[in-house]
Amino acid sequence: MDDNWAAADGLHHFIGNRWVVAASGQTLDVIDPSDGRPFAKIARGNSADVDAAVRAAQRAFGEFGDGAWGRLSAAERGRLLARLAARVAECGEELARLESRTTGKPLRQGRADAAALARYFEYYGGAADKLHGATIPYQPGMTVLTIREPHGVTGHIIPWNYPLQIFGRSVGAALAAGNACVVKPAEDACLSLLRVAELAAEVGLPDGALNIVTGLGAEAGAALAAHPGIDHLSFTGSPATGTRVAQAAAQHHCPVTLELGGKSPQIVFADADLDAAVAVIVNAIVQNAGQTCSAGSRLLGERPIYEELLARVGDAMSRLRVGPALADLDVGPLIRHSQLQRVQQYLSQARADGIALAAQGRIVDDAPPAGFYQAPALLRDVPASHRIAQEEIFGPVLAAMPFDTEAEALAIANGTPYGLVAGVWTRDGARQLRLARKLACGQVFVNNYGAGGGIELPFGGVKSSGYGREKGFEALAAFTRLKTVAIRHG
Ligand code: ADP
């Protein structure tokens, strides 16, 4: 198995542990963002393919949870996930290369993502037989108990920025809880997931427990969200698409978990340890070229250290080298040409509005000219209400602004439509706790920042960043439904 695994005749859907040609016979090109050239083909799925995958998953689950997958004990599911974790770890380098090649991320990030996928299967495999209900004190002569049941068939719409990780967090938890899964990865970056599905079949996941249908969002994705056979849907992507997906799911009263991105602030107070903060702040915006839901894309600096902070972050940023994914430099290309144009439009708007560029990284001379490269940029004194400080750019653009008081920092931090993650840098313990309580978001990091990290840590947003929590033990609740059984026995 090598980088050409996907190159030969193109790849198909993976349904019921078999490669299945698209019902339409059509394919889509997969573009390498490092050189702008097509290098693989995937199936262009439509509603017929989605229907076949849902039916395979329903068979695996069984009408009463008695299918080949549904009837396994929790311990057996856990063991299979542990085997899959080990197989993913064995194939880590291959998965990392596929991930880097398709997403454009530097190889060491691809390796980190493959390692995280193995950890997700390990973690959720271990959790499978530790999920249980309760007994509830009620009336004399009665016993009331709750049973945690899987939903049945879960749908998973995955974006292109972290396919392995986002697949791991949602499919890992769903399988551990006993659901059969139908996955629609992003058209730009799905090769690694097709390979993982093959590995899952190899380690013995029964036919239909895990199915992947590739294709366009408006076709295969929309068909999955609307399919009445889907009992729970997880979506990670943009707010606009999330709204469409939730509307489609609502037509058949299907519960949804939405993770929709952010505009996460890094709040740096004058007493912060800048030596520790600077490298973390830079990494949090350039990791995956800023195409990270939890990217720390706003830098709020307390006035007395604002200039020093800008100088130090700017210095680190100007030393970053941008180049091809597999060259494993500091930053890779953006996912596609339209994304590059979008980021460049934001930067032109900033220029037109007189926002100063404080520092910029460098695209290496031998980067292929047709690749989608964007040098990381630090913009200074960005008004908190400007588009650059309000909208998710999804590129390596850090918007810096000063503040004078804690109250002002909090107002700026909470003053966007999003609320996913926040970073707080201060040595003052009371302030750490005050802010942790008052920040409107799903995760707060104090004196560290975990863009995309921490598989054990519940993750999700408020406001336009979405709802529901993934990762950690908490995620398992979303992939089960509670049944209450009340027995009168006298
Ligand atoms: P982007 O615009 O950056 O690709 P999206 O939020 O549109 O981000 O995409 C995230 C995922 O949602 C991808 O797998 C994509 O194919 C899928 N998708 C896009 N449009 C729809 C839709 N209308 N219904 C369901 N899924 C969709």
Side-chain angles (χ1 to χ4, degrees):
M1 212 55 72
D2 58 22
D3 285 1
N4 292 325
W5 172 72
D9 315 320
L11 288 165
H12 306 299
H13 305 307
F14 199 79
I15 299 174
N17 283 358
R18 277 191 305 278
W19 295 107
V20 175
V21 178
S24 68
Q26 292 185 323
T27 59
L28 297 166
D29 282 336
V30 180
I31 309 289
D32 181 341
S34 294
D35 62 14
R37 297 223 295 261
F39 76 102
K41 282 189 191 305
I42 54 165
R44 179 172 176 170
N46 61 21
S47 55
D49 301 302
V50 167
D51 195 53
V54 172
R55 279 189 283 110
Q58 284 172 329
R59 271 195 304 278
F61 184 74
E63 189 182 354
F64 300 105
D66 51 357
W69 172 245
R71 67 170 174 261
L72 292 187
S73 71
E76 285 169 322
R77 288 198 306 272
R79 249 175 253 134
L80 278 172
L81 287 176
R83 285 224 290 273
L84 181 55
R87 191 74 186 106
V88 164
E90 273 167 22
C91 299
E93 188 62 15
E94 178 200 343
L95 291 170
R97 292 183 74 85
L98 279 173
E99 190 81 336
S100 287
R101 183 107 192 255
T102 48
T103 60
K105 64 186 63 176
L107 188 54
R108 63 184 177 288
Q109 181 66 48
R111 289 184 180 129
D113 293 354
L117 176 70
R119 259 300 278 150
Y120 275 118
F121 289 138
E122 180 183 54
Y123 180 88
Y124 285 120
D129 58 356
K130 293 156 195 80
L131 254 189
H132 43 69
T135 53
I136 300 176
Y138 191 49
Q139 298 173 1
M142 288 194 73
T143 295
V144 179
L145 50 101
T146 59
I147 304 174
R148 279 207 172 276
E149 298 179 334
H151 292 284
V153 177
T154 53
H156 306 260
I157 299 179
I158 313 277
W160 43 261
N161 57 345
Y162 289 87
L164 288 175
Q165 288 219 37
I166 294 171
F167 176 91
R169 77 187 188 202
S170 112
V171 171
L175 289 174
N179 301 281
C181 302
V182 179
V183 179
K184 207 304 278 179
E187 48 275 31
D188 313 84
C190 55
L191 303 186
S192 58
L193 299 188
L194 289 166
R195 180 71 180 121
V196 174
E198 208 177 40
L199 297 178
E202 250 176 68
V203 302
L205 245 75
D207 293 2
L210 170 60
N211 309 277
I212 301 200
V213 176
T214 58
L216 299 174
E219 296 172 0
L224 183 62
H227 199 294
I230 295 295
D231 303 308
H232 178 278
L233 192 66
S234 322
F235 171 83
T236 303
S238 60
T241 306
T243 303
R244 274 198 291 277
V245 161
Q247 280 168 341
Q251 298 305 312
H252 59 105
H253 308 110
C254 170
V256 179
T257 299
L258 295 180
E259 199 268 271
L260 306 177
K263 191 72 185 175
S264 299
Q266 300 267 16
I267 311 169
V268 187
F269 287 90
D271 68 341
D273 177 355
L274 290 191
D275 292 336
V278 169
V280 175
I281 288 169
V282 171
N283 184 57
I285 185 61
V286 302
Q287 179 177 318
N288 204 23
Q291 303 164 117
T292 302
C293 310
S294 51
S297 52
R298 292 184 294 154
L299 179 58
L300 281 54
E302 197 173 13
R303 187 90 57 188
I305 49 96
Y306 180 63
E307 290 303 333
E308 185 190 351
L309 179 65
L310 281 187
R312 292 175 69 166
V313 168
D315 180 53
M317 212 178 244
S318 60
R319 280 187 273 113
L320 295 173
R321 294 154 312 145
V322 184
L326 296 178
D328 203 17
L329 305 178
D330 304 307
V331 183
L334 299 183
I335 187 71
R336 57 174 110 92
H337 188 246
S338 61
Q339 187 63 20
L340 178 62
Q341 282 178 317
R342 180 184 145 85
V343 174
Q344 289 177 344
Q345 276 159 10
Y346 276 105
L347 290 171
S348 332
Q349 162 123 48
R351 247 192 324 276
D353 294 343
I355 293 173
L357 179 66
Q360 195 157 32
R362 185 174 63 82
I363 300 171
V364 295
D365 296 337
D366 55 356
F372 311 134
Y373 299 101
Q374 172 61 52
L378 173 64
L379 300 173
R380 59 169 297 156
D381 310 336
V382 180
S385 59
H386 193 280
R387 283 183 67 198
I388 299 284
Q390 288 285 321
E391 296 176 15
E392 187 180 46
I393 297 174
F394 234 52
V397 178
L398 181 57
M401 59 208 77
F403 68 86
D404 289 299
T405 63
E406 184 181 312
E408 189 192 358
L410 191 60
I412 296 173
N414 285 346
T416 76
Y418 292 101
L420 192 57
V421 180
V424 178
W425 297 86
T426 177
R427 291 182 164 103
D428 178 337
R431 172 178 276 157
Q432 294 170 359
L433 287 170
R434 270 196 307 276
L435 283 171
R437 292 295 184 113
K438 291 180 180 171
L439 283 161
C441 57
Q443 276 188 340
V444 179
F445 287 95
V446 178
N447 295 332
N448 74 110
Y449 194 84
I455 69 147
E456 305 86 347
L457 313 182
F459 176 73
V462 303
K463 302 192 284 184
S464 294
S465 289
Y467 48 80
R469 294 291 176 264
E470 296 194 296
K471 301 188 175 184
F473 208 77
E474 190 71 25
L476 291 160
F479 289 108
T480 55
R481 54 191 181 200
L482 207 64
K483 180 181 279 172
T484 305
V485 181
I487 306 156
R488 177 173 299 285
H489 41 68

